Amino acid sequence: MIEAIPLTLNGKPVRLEADGERPLLWVLRTDLGLTGAKHGCGVGLCGACTVLVDDAAARSCQLRLKDVRGKRVVTIEGLAGPDGTLHPLQKAFVEHDAMQCGFCTPGMILTALAFLKKNPKPTREAVLRGLDDNICRCGAHTRIVQAVLDAAPRMAGGNR
């Protein structure tokens, strides 16, 4: 059933006319052209489809559009500043070459952002646990963990 679903997407209020039962991942990718969230496993296990919903990491393949009614959704496309300035996590990923094919990168960055908001001074072991449910098939985990550790102090003090 088509219904009007208001939400805030990447900082902007939107009102989508769509079937509330559709997976959020497909609404983002197909209807809105926001292709940062990827279809990986399709069952919420790999993290490639991760977005932020009210600042918490969420698997968009497991959410229905109606689940985000009235909530704040952030995709990787909404993370950089309005002038295109990369978020400290994005900068750290680039500086540490924390990607290979890049398929998992948006989900890794958004999961790391939610993690760092709750753990602003993490240890390496805490980062490993925090990102444990996100899979990188290329094996860039060591660089990803270092990028997250490097971004943590940059984000301290409210720097996004």
Side-chain angles (χ1 to χ4, degrees), residues 81-151:
D83 63 351
T85 303
L86 294 179
H87 184 277
L89 263 168
Q90 292 172 307
K91 284 183 185 176
F93 268 65
V94 170
E95 291 167 2
H96 288 275
D97 195 23
M99 61 198 85
Q100 208 159 325
C101 78
F103 191 83
C104 71
T105 305
M108 287 282 188
I109 289 174
L110 293 174
T111 299
L113 178 57
F115 169 78
L116 288 175
K117 285 186 176 186
K118 291 182 178 177
N119 304 282
K121 295 181 181 178
T123 62
R124 183 178 190 287
E125 291 71 29
V127 172
L128 287 169
R129 284 191 306 274
L131 298 180
D132 193 40
D133 290 338
N134 285 62
I135 298 170
C136 172
R137 291 165 181 83
C138 301
H141 286 98
T142 301
R143 296 186 308 255
I144 290 168
V145 169
Q146 190 55 48
V148 173
L149 287 169
D150 191 45

Side-chain angles (χ1 to χ4, degrees), residues 28 45-46 69 84 106 134 137 140 142:
L28 293 171
L45 297 176
C46 73
R69 181 188 312 270
N134 285 62
R137 291 165 181 83
T142 301

Side-chain angles (χ1 to χ4, degrees), residues 11-88:
K12 297 177 183 167
V14 296
R15 184 178 170 95
L16 302 175
E17 301 282 335
D19 180 352
E21 295 296 325
R22 288 191 67 214
L24 178 61
L25 175 63
W26 297 122
V27 172
L28 293 171
R29 290 185 58 82
T30 306
D31 299 357
L32 302 174
L34 299 172
T35 58
K38 304 292 189 271
H39 180 257
C41 65
V43 293
L45 297 176
C46 73
C49 66
T50 300
V51 297
L52 298 181
V53 177
D54 288 344
D55 294 329
R59 306 298 165 96
S60 63
C61 73
Q62 297 300 295
L63 292 174
R64 303 290 171 217
L65 178 59
K66 68 181 183 183
D67 295 335
V68 296
R69 181 188 312 270
K71 296 186 177 181
R72 290 176 289 113
V73 176
V74 176
T75 67
I76 195 69
E77 290 89 346
L79 199 56
D83 63 351
T85 303
L86 294 179
H87 184 277

